[in-house]
Amino acid sequence: MLVLVTRPQAEGEQICQGLAKIGHEGLLAPVMEIECLAPIWPQGAFDALLLTSAQALHCLDPASLPQDLRSLPIYGVGARLAPLLTQKGLGGVVELAPRAADIVERLKARGLTGQRLLYLAGRYRKPDFERDLSQAGAQITAVELYAARDAGTLSAAALEALEHGRLGAVLHFSRRSAELFLAHAGAAGLGQQASRLLHCAISFDAAEPLQGCVDQIRIARHPDAGSLLALLQE
């Protein structure tokens, strides 16, 4: 099956490799372009670093990170962060969890009053993570390392495959990427063709924009790439 991968380039290539291992062909067509930003590092001491996206690490230049931040404990979302953290030479204690909500609960269990947490983040992000930690008593400072911008259209190869019925499925990794895929397909006059595909979403949140717009939606049992690819085998 030819499967459309809407992930940004670096992570999308890894997903295409994973598809090949289970007998599918990936067509990479990022709906967002990643722009790395020059970070503005805050002054003062912090108690831990927070990460919810591998994109932040892809854009992090370790040489720019102040020395006193390099050995802080790290709390992150997703097992995929582990090799990147090693590659960047970061972290003493590293604790990873499947979802941002799990990180919030683990930190709350330790007591957050007065804790200063440095969040390595993207420019466009949902407020829930920072809001929940702040309400629990932490002081959150976000350093924006990247911006995921709308690519504006699907690639020519993706539009051709969609128009001629060669695509069998599309993978959605976030609510925003699902919204952009539908918008780009619709703008190209291919909304009906897009609606007939099998749509596989990494979470209920990512699947929400698809409701009522497409015929088939499958949602991963766990919010990770392995569980998402497993949907194609059902």
Side-chain angles (χ1 to χ4, degrees):
M1 184 192 300
L2 184 60
V3 180
L4 190 67
V5 179
T6 60
R7 202 82 164 132
Q9 190 74 30
E11 293 183 344
E13 290 173 355
Q14 295 177 357
I15 296 299
C16 288
Q17 292 170 9
L19 284 167
K21 291 178 181 178
I22 59 173
H24 298 291
E25 180 183 356
L27 175 57
L28 181 56
V31 294
M32 292 182 285
E33 298 173 343
I34 301 299
E35 176 190 359
C36 293
L37 304 175
I40 301 173
W41 298 108
Q43 299 296 314
F46 288 85
D47 297 294
L49 293 178
L50 306 176
L51 281 159
T52 58
S53 170
Q55 291 296 344
L57 283 178
H58 284 307
C59 285
L60 175 65
D61 176 6
S64 76
L65 191 66
Q67 189 66 39
D68 58 340
L69 300 179
R70 296 185 187 187
S71 59
L72 288 177
I74 295 174
Y75 296 88
V77 177
R80 68 192 184 283
L81 292 181
L84 286 171
L85 289 168
T86 301
Q87 189 179 67
K88 299 288 183 175
L90 283 181
V93 177
V94 176
E95 187 165 340
L96 303 177
R99 302 175 304 151
D102 298 326
I103 291 295
V104 172
E105 290 307 311
R106 291 184 190 187
L107 287 169
K108 284 168 67 174
R110 291 170 169 82
L112 281 172
T113 302
Q115 291 286 297
R116 295 194 71 207
L117 306 177
L118 186 62
Y119 181 23
L120 307 184
R123 176 160 294 172
Y124 307 109
R125 58 189 187 273
K126 293 184 292 184
D128 313 45
F129 184 63
E130 291 160 271
R131 181 199 61 213
D132 293 347
L133 288 170
S134 295
Q135 289 177 349
Q139 300 175 46
I140 308 296
T141 300
V143 174
E144 295 177 350
L145 293 177
Y146 71 96
R149 304 190 187 282
D150 182 355
T153 184
L154 292 172
S155 69
L159 291 173
E160 183 184 18
L162 184 57
E163 181 178 4
H164 294 287
R166 292 202 299 272
L167 285 174
V170 56
L171 305 181
H172 300 287
F173 292 82
S174 69
R175 174 190 289 259
R176 187 167 179 236
S177 66
E179 291 171 342
L180 289 174
F181 170 77
L182 293 176
H184 294 170
L190 298 171
Q192 187 172 9
Q193 290 91 328
S195 72
R196 293 196 291 262
L197 299 175
L198 169 61
H199 291 258
C200 298
I202 201 166
S203 66
F204 284 96
D205 184 62
E208 198 279 332
L210 306 170
Q211 302 292 338
C213 299
V214 304
D215 297 335
Q216 299 180 76
I217 304 173
R218 295 179 186 172
I219 300 172
R221 290 184 175 85
H222 305 286
D224 56 59
S227 297
L228 182 61
L229 295 186
L231 297 175
L232 297 169
Q233 308 297 89
E234 293 181 358

